[in-house]
Amino acid sequence: MAKSLDFLDNQKTAALKEWQAFENSPALLGANSFYDRLERDVKKMFGYPANRVNISAATQYLLLLHYTAPFSNNCGDVNERGNYALDSKDVEKLILRAFAEKFGMGENHWGYVTSGGTESNSCGIASAFAKYPNGVLYYSQSAHYSIGKAAKLYKHLEIPTKGKDVMDKEALFAAILRNYESLRLPANIVLTHGTTQFGECDDTDAVVAFLRQHKIPYYLHVDAALFGGIPNNQTDAPLIKNAKEKGIHSICVSLHKYLGFPDVHSVFVSTEAPYGEKIEYIGQRDTTVSGSRSIPSYALYNHVLEQLNETDPLRYSRNVHLFSEMLTKRNIPFYRAEKSNIFVIDEPSSAVCKEFQLSCFHENHADGTHSKKAHIIIFPCHTKENMQALADSL
């Protein structure tokens, strides 16, 4: 017994010394002020698509398990394995299945968890050109900037918008038909379900109907970074359903936006797997953009299930309608696309923009002029008091 007590005393002494050393470390001193600032600033964050969701005790525990476990790397194709055993692909496939079922992508879906929306969009475009290497990439001038960045690697054509942020369908149809009839070039298309500035949705049904009518081979990727994370039971929300039936080949959704996961990740899900070369070194096909990827597997899976199975059908719309009433009561003009949670207003003072972290931009008009705008993105996490403070400041 004496030896056991001596061992415990030694352990306690060692732990105390370790804690005292950590207590005086620059990392701890810096971390306290950093996280205090985040807690303060998140209460007035209205201009960017990042919902704050309360992380459940189960997800917190699973996050702790992940970051204290041995390193895992999901290199190569999600459905394949070489000799490397330290991966979490089985869980990654469960996450994909949750979104494939939500979007109606069919049983034979494919995809992976990416580093963010930029990688997911790059994967969608790469998949399109893997299928139709002689195709032309068509995308809207209001598409997320990651689309234009990826487009530089391919033959592409930027399509103008009409109204606010919606792609000009007639301009798109004319360009596709011209390139197909003269050169037989397939159409590789990116449409947006929730544009960055105005929260508009491109008309996917009309585009697919045109392509099918003219028998034009195509690949269609939909960027649904924000709206794709909204649970399917939400009232008055811009949802995507029956994607495979509607002729959509791939969709991306950001997990740190509406779903509010505390790490930056995105899901790319497709109705078919792309071609990938077999890499001898890893013993499997290389079908992803990043090659290697590490995800907090079970924590992410649990969080996705909890959020997508949200039971309160007014979670999305309650604050949207409340904030709309606040602006109307104060005679503040705004534009809100149908079912969107994004309010576009005339740009307020720089002090207001800085305090409430508003995203500012120029709206271009048909006559060549432009006006300064800012947008406000309303999430379930925003309190009535903070929304009132913003409305009063405006």
Side-chain angles (χ1 to χ4, degrees):
M1 175 64 72
K3 285 186 177 179
S4 297
L5 290 175
D6 288 344
F7 173 77
L8 289 175
D9 285 340
N10 291 337
Q11 289 289 94
K12 285 159 61 178
T13 301
L16 183 61
K17 286 181 179 179
E18 187 175 336
W19 171 250
Q20 287 172 339
F22 176 59
E23 209 172 17
N24 297 319
S25 74
L28 179 62
L29 297 174
N32 286 335
S33 60
F34 171 72
Y35 290 111
D36 285 345
R37 179 177 66 80
L38 288 185
E39 288 294 337
R40 181 182 70 249
D41 289 348
V42 75
K43 296 174 182 177
K44 290 188 175 182
M45 206 284 288
F46 282 92
Y48 296 88
N51 188 19
R52 190 186 190 191
V53 172
N54 290 328
I55 305 301
S56 70
T59 299
Q60 290 182 49
Y61 171 72
L62 293 168
L63 277 171
L64 180 63
L65 276 186
H66 173 76
Y67 288 113
T68 54
F71 170 75
S72 62
N73 179 4
N74 291 5
C75 64
D77 191 89
V78 70
N79 294 316
E80 299 177 11
R81 276 197 177 95
N83 292 331
Y84 185 80
L86 300 177
D87 68 40
S88 60
K89 290 184 179 180
D90 289 341
V91 190
E92 188 175 24
K93 286 188 282 188
L94 293 176
I95 296 169
L96 292 173
R97 183 190 299 170
F99 284 98
E101 290 175 353
K102 168 180 165 54
F103 295 135
M105 302 293 282
E107 289 295 321
N108 298 320
H109 58 268
W110 180 88
Y112 68 106
V113 178
T114 74
S115 61
T118 295
E119 183 184 345
S120 289
N121 285 327
S122 297
C123 186
I125 294 170
S127 298
F129 280 93
K131 186 170 185 176
Y132 297 116
N134 65 327
V136 178
L137 176 63
Y138 302 93
Y139 65 97
S140 166
Q141 68 180 27
S142 295
H144 188 263
Y145 64 86
S146 63
I147 306 297
K149 181 162 64 175
K152 294 174 183 177
L153 301 173
Y154 307 95
K155 183 179 178 63
H156 64 274
L157 186 61
E158 185 180 84
I159 305 299
T161 57
K162 289 179 72 174
K164 297 299 181 183
D165 262 1
V166 179
M167 182 187 282
D168 185 338
K169 290 182 294 186
E170 300 309 317
L172 173 66
F173 297 163
I176 291 174
L177 204 56
R178 182 171 60 251
N179 283 326
Y180 185 69
E181 288 182 342
S182 60
L183 300 171
R184 282 295 186 261
L185 301 179
N188 294 332
I189 307 169
V190 176
L191 297 182
T192 304
H193 192 76
T195 56
T196 305
Q197 295 176 343
F198 285 87
E200 297 277 8
C201 296
D202 290 325
D203 194 342
T204 305
D205 291 342
V207 172
V208 172
F210 169 83
L211 294 164
R212 287 174 172 172
Q213 176 189 349
H214 292 277
K215 296 181 172 56
I216 298 172
Y218 75 96
Y219 183 101
L220 175 56
H221 172 69
V222 174
D223 178 6
L226 173 58
F227 291 164
I230 302 172
N232 278 344
N233 74 329
Q234 296 299 288
T235 301
D236 198 28
L239 305 174
I240 297 178
K241 297 181 179 180
N242 306 317
K244 185 175 183 180
E245 179 185 318
K246 289 175 175 288
I248 297 171
H249 294 95
S250 60
I251 299 173
C252 78
V253 51
S254 295
L255 303 178
H256 54 285
K257 292 186 178 175
Y258 187 84
L259 286 163
F261 192 71
D263 276 355
V264 177
H265 287 289
S266 170
V267 163
F268 173 83
V269 60
S270 169
T271 57
E272 54 192 59
Y275 168 79
E277 289 189 15
K278 179 72 176 287
I279 307 299
E280 184 179 23
Y281 178 70
I282 60 173
Q284 54 192 297
R285 291 181 307 133
D286 178 32
T287 50
T288 67
V289 172
S290 59
S292 293
R293 57 199 183 276
S294 179
I295 62 173
S297 51
Y298 278 100
L300 181 54
Y301 178 49
N302 188 69
H303 184 80
V304 165
L305 291 184
E306 287 176 344
Q307 298 306 310
L308 291 188
N309 293 328
E310 172 66 48
T311 55
D312 178 4
L314 298 178
R315 182 191 184 200
Y316 172 79
S317 60
R318 184 181 290 113
N319 275 354
V320 172
H321 295 316
L322 180 59
F323 189 67
S324 177
E325 292 171 0
M326 289 180 181
L327 294 185
T328 301
K329 182 179 179 180
R330 291 162 175 79
N331 296 314
I332 300 169
F334 64 88
Y335 174 83
R336 182 173 76 90
E338 183 182 6
K339 298 185 177 181
S340 175
N341 64 335
I342 298 178
F343 293 76
V344 180
I345 61 173
D346 291 333
E347 184 180 315
S349 70
S350 58
V352 171
C353 291
K354 188 172 183 65
E355 181 182 0
F356 294 94
Q357 303 166 61
L358 302 186
S359 175
C360 303
F361 55 92
H362 288 91
E363 180 185 5
N364 297 316
H365 304 294
D367 61 2
T369 62
H370 64 262
S371 54
K372 292 183 177 181
K373 299 291 182 180
H375 74 196
I376 299 160
I377 307 180
I378 296 297
F379 284 110
C381 66
H382 289 127
T383 65
K384 182 178 180 180
E385 291 72 25
N386 286 334
M387 289 191 291
Q388 282 180 332
L390 171 56
D392 288 341
S393 295
L394 294 174

